[in-house]
Amino acid sequence: MEALLLSSVSPFYNTPLKLKYNRTHFTAKPKLLSFHFSPLSTLSSFSSKPSKIFTTLSPSSQVSTEATEPPERELETNSQEEKFDWFSQWYPLIPVCDLDKRVPHAKKVLGLDVVVWWDRNENEWRVFADACPHRLAPLSEGRIDQWGRLQCPYHGWCFSGSGDCKFIPQAPPDGPPVHTSKKACAAVYPSAVQNGILWFWPDIAPQCKDIIKTKKPPHIPELDDPSFTKMFGSRDVPYGYEVLMENLMDPAHLTYAHYGMMRTRKPKVMLDREGGRPIKISFEKIDINGFIAKQDSESAKFLAPCVFVVYPELLENQENGSASSGGAEEKLEQRRVALIFICAPVSPGNSRVIWAFPRNFQIWIDKVVPRWIFHIGQNLILDSDLCLLHVEERKIMAVGPANWQKACFVPTKSDNLVVGFRMWLKKYSGGQFNWGGKFDATLPPTLPREQLMDRYWPHVVNCKSCNAAHKSLSALEVILQVVSVVSVGIVAATKQNAVSMATRATIVSFAVICFAASKWLSHFVYKTFHYHDYNHALRQV
């Protein structure tokens, strides 16, 4: 989980890090993060006692290698308990920093096609169903007209921010006002901006219009705190919500799937190249809204259905094993960082992750270094386990999500957080995400590797910073090629006695350098913004 954070910090933060667990994270209200749901407080509503479901998952004083058996009886006795309503929740669409107010944006969440656009008359982002009521053409292909209305690209129907149809070009001015019909209105989803992210409520029923007054999206204060950095990233991945969430909750895979990409705490005795080690994980609180867990040296929260947060305490790692000086340790303890992952199911076999790693130190880095530089390493980390998760999901679906515990052998306590999520999913949702009858369990076909790991459509086109860098570097590539050709042409067209041999050699050398630079830049653009293959067997550090 710390992989994405350290990929963004490590190029500039050279002090080795280790994580130290602070007991006050669980005995009192966490100092770093506090989340608020209205009217239900997700955290305060947790039971004061550890859930029986996770009794078998609580580690003893020693790391055990005994299998963690699922509490089937508990699940059976609680089968009549409340079920999680997936369509009565707020879901993230995209960070606002990546939205362009000039154009509509097409998005998909929960299998719903929506269009996001800026209503300049009300100064708000709007989320509509991406279908014109006329002939169901996608409104996301349209434009925002000079009056600030969303115009359908097919026949020019125009809609206000409330969804009302304001203009039908084909209707005679002296005829009946057909545009006032309720059938002419666009479907509007409730939406809200929270912590710099646009959220929407996937229900267009009239009673949900003002849902923001009774239930708000999750609030993360650090994302609004000016003393913390605030840099977002997002990407669509070709595996489902369940696999995405359990992967983020699995600390044991970091040293192997992301080998050499991050700093991790090494065991005293290295038993292999990567340095895997036992990890203790136990649960503190659990209910339908999620759970709180303690995993070795860090604490974690799952706020159902979208938010997973890890907040470690950063301390200097002394290579010689000596203790840090009091002043240095006190300074380090003032540093705070959170690893925030906000996930959304897109469709079967596809999901979206939005990440942010607010920290209150070295803030200047984020102001100087462009966001796309950080995204290079973060996308590589996502690529490094993308294919194996894609394949893993298909094997899980083959045996059935409800049989996950029987199909997977999870003997160590490092798997407890993953097991806990699967238990939560089984108890409150039958073991998998409920698509409300919109889809069956069929996954999309597996694409060729280059398409599966493509970065351009899942990330670059949706990221303002990466998109701008891609265009600029591609333009520079063309410029270098043109300069190279022109330079050679000048030498060829110039008479031999008109310029000296030294000048000719200089121009030719310049042309060769420009051509070589353009080829290198072409390779860099392709690997950074399109496709970067990853081979674990050949990975060297």
Side-chain angles (χ1 to χ4, degrees), residues 44-51 284-286:
S44 62
S45 63
F46 287 135
S47 169
S48 59
K49 297 181 179 180
S51 171
E284 296 292 319
K285 296 177 182 177
I286 171 73

PDB file of all heavy atoms in Angstrom, residues 44-51 284-286:
ATOM      1  N   SER A  44     -17.840   6.021  14.457  1.00  0.00           N
ATOM      2  CA  SER A  44     -18.424   5.983  15.794  1.00  0.00           C
ATOM      3  C   SER A  44     -19.508   4.933  15.915  1.00  0.00           C
ATOM      4  O   SER A  44     -19.850   4.494  17.007  1.00  0.00           O
ATOM      5  CB  SER A  44     -18.996   7.358  16.148  1.00  0.00           C
ATOM      6  OG  SER A  44     -20.030   7.706  15.259  1.00  0.00           O
ATOM      7  N   SER A  45     -20.043   4.504  14.780  1.00  0.00           N
ATOM      8  CA  SER A  45     -21.119   3.503  14.832  1.00  0.00           C
ATOM      9  C   SER A  45     -20.583   2.089  14.965  1.00  0.00           C
ATOM     10  O   SER A  45     -21.346   1.156  15.101  1.00  0.00           O
ATOM     11  CB  SER A  45     -21.984   3.613  13.575  1.00  0.00           C
ATOM     12  OG  SER A  45     -21.221   3.331  12.428  1.00  0.00           O
ATOM     13  N   PHE A  46     -19.258   1.912  14.885  1.00  0.00           N
ATOM     14  CA  PHE A  46     -18.694   0.577  15.047  1.00  0.00           C
ATOM     15  C   PHE A  46     -18.967   0.062  16.451  1.00  0.00           C
ATOM     16  O   PHE A  46     -18.986   0.785  17.428  1.00  0.00           O
ATOM     17  CB  PHE A  46     -17.182   0.600  14.817  1.00  0.00           C
ATOM     18  CG  PHE A  46     -16.809   0.755  13.389  1.00  0.00           C
ATOM     19  CD1 PHE A  46     -15.813   1.653  13.011  1.00  0.00           C
ATOM     20  CD2 PHE A  46     -17.431   0.020  12.411  1.00  0.00           C
ATOM     21  CE1 PHE A  46     -15.463   1.786  11.701  1.00  0.00           C
ATOM     22  CE2 PHE A  46     -17.071   0.154  11.091  1.00  0.00           C
ATOM     23  CZ  PHE A  46     -16.099   1.047  10.741  1.00  0.00           C
ATOM     24  N   SER A  47     -19.112  -1.232  16.520  1.00  0.00           N
ATOM     25  CA  SER A  47     -19.286  -1.866  17.822  1.00  0.00           C
ATOM     26  C   SER A  47     -18.032  -1.708  18.656  1.00  0.00           C
ATOM     27  O   SER A  47     -16.919  -1.725  18.152  1.00  0.00           O
ATOM     28  CB  SER A  47     -19.597  -3.358  17.618  1.00  0.00           C
ATOM     29  OG  SER A  47     -19.533  -4.045  18.823  1.00  0.00           O
ATOM     30  N   SER A  48     -18.194  -1.571  19.950  1.00  0.00           N
ATOM     31  CA  SER A  48     -17.049  -1.407  20.838  1.00  0.00           C
ATOM     32  C   SER A  48     -16.282  -2.704  21.014  1.00  0.00           C
ATOM     33  O   SER A  48     -15.138  -2.708  21.412  1.00  0.00           O
ATOM     34  CB  SER A  48     -17.505  -0.906  22.213  1.00  0.00           C
ATOM     35  OG  SER A  48     -18.419  -1.825  22.797  1.00  0.00           O
ATOM     36  N   LYS A  49     -16.899  -3.831  20.706  1.00  0.00           N
ATOM     37  CA  LYS A  49     -16.243  -5.129  20.823  1.00  0.00           C
ATOM     38  C   LYS A  49     -15.800  -5.597  19.448  1.00  0.00           C
ATOM     39  O   LYS A  49     -16.454  -5.344  18.452  1.00  0.00           O
ATOM     40  CB  LYS A  49     -17.199  -6.171  21.430  1.00  0.00           C
ATOM     41  CG  LYS A  49     -17.630  -5.850  22.854  1.00  0.00           C
ATOM     42  CD  LYS A  49     -18.542  -6.952  23.365  1.00  0.00           C
ATOM     43  CE  LYS A  49     -18.994  -6.688  24.799  1.00  0.00           C
ATOM     44  NZ  LYS A  49     -19.873  -7.750  25.289  1.00  0.00           N
ATOM     45  N   PRO A  50     -14.683  -6.325  19.401  1.00  0.00           N
ATOM     46  CA  PRO A  50     -14.290  -6.905  18.119  1.00  0.00           C
ATOM     47  C   PRO A  50     -15.356  -7.866  17.629  1.00  0.00           C
ATOM     48  O   PRO A  50     -15.937  -8.626  18.396  1.00  0.00           O
ATOM     49  CB  PRO A  50     -12.979  -7.634  18.447  1.00  0.00           C
ATOM     50  CG  PRO A  50     -12.477  -6.970  19.704  1.00  0.00           C
ATOM     51  CD  PRO A  50     -13.717  -6.579  20.458  1.00  0.00           C
ATOM     52  N   SER A  51     -15.622  -7.822  16.347  1.00  0.00           N
ATOM     53  CA  SER A  51     -16.663  -8.675  15.786  1.00  0.00           C
ATOM     54  C   SER A  51     -16.289 -10.141  15.892  1.00  0.00           C
ATOM     55  O   SER A  51     -15.149 -10.527  15.753  1.00  0.00           O
ATOM     56  CB  SER A  51     -16.890  -8.313  14.311  1.00  0.00           C
ATOM     57  OG  SER A  51     -17.720  -9.251  13.715  1.00  0.00           O
ATOM     58  N   GLU A 284      -9.947  -4.259  14.744  1.00  0.00           N
ATOM     59  CA  GLU A 284     -10.392  -3.532  15.927  1.00  0.00           C
ATOM     60  C   GLU A 284     -11.915  -3.413  15.968  1.00  0.00           C
ATOM     61  O   GLU A 284     -12.532  -3.695  16.969  1.00  0.00           O
ATOM     62  CB  GLU A 284      -9.756  -2.131  15.944  1.00  0.00           C
ATOM     63  CG  GLU A 284      -8.239  -2.137  16.065  1.00  0.00           C
ATOM     64  CD  GLU A 284      -7.767  -2.625  17.411  1.00  0.00           C
ATOM     65  OE1 GLU A 284      -8.388  -2.241  18.422  1.00  0.00           O
ATOM     66  OE2 GLU A 284      -6.783  -3.385  17.451  1.00  0.00           O
ATOM     67  N   LYS A 285     -12.496  -2.976  14.856  1.00  0.00           N
ATOM     68  CA  LYS A 285     -13.948  -2.749  14.819  1.00  0.00           C
ATOM     69  C   LYS A 285     -14.474  -3.120  13.446  1.00  0.00           C
ATOM     70  O   LYS A 285     -13.780  -3.008  12.448  1.00  0.00           O
ATOM     71  CB  LYS A 285     -14.265  -1.291  15.134  1.00  0.00           C
ATOM     72  CG  LYS A 285     -13.858  -0.868  16.541  1.00  0.00           C
ATOM     73  CD  LYS A 285     -14.127   0.611  16.774  1.00  0.00           C
ATOM     74  CE  LYS A 285     -13.664   1.005  18.179  1.00  0.00           C
ATOM     75  NZ  LYS A 285     -13.844   2.446  18.440  1.00  0.00           N
ATOM     76  N   ILE A 286     -15.741  -3.535  13.418  1.00  0.00           N
ATOM     77  CA  ILE A 286     -16.332  -4.017  12.167  1.00  0.00           C
ATOM     78  C   ILE A 286     -17.840  -3.825  12.200  1.00  0.00           C
ATOM     79  O   ILE A 286     -18.484  -4.069  13.218  1.00  0.00           O
ATOM     80  CB  ILE A 286     -16.001  -5.516  11.946  1.00  0.00           C
ATOM     81  CG1 ILE A 286     -16.796  -6.084  10.767  1.00  0.00           C
ATOM     82  CG2 ILE A 286     -16.265  -6.330  13.198  1.00  0.00           C
ATOM     83  CD1 ILE A 286     -16.325  -5.617   9.434  1.00  0.00           C
TER      84      ILE A 286
END
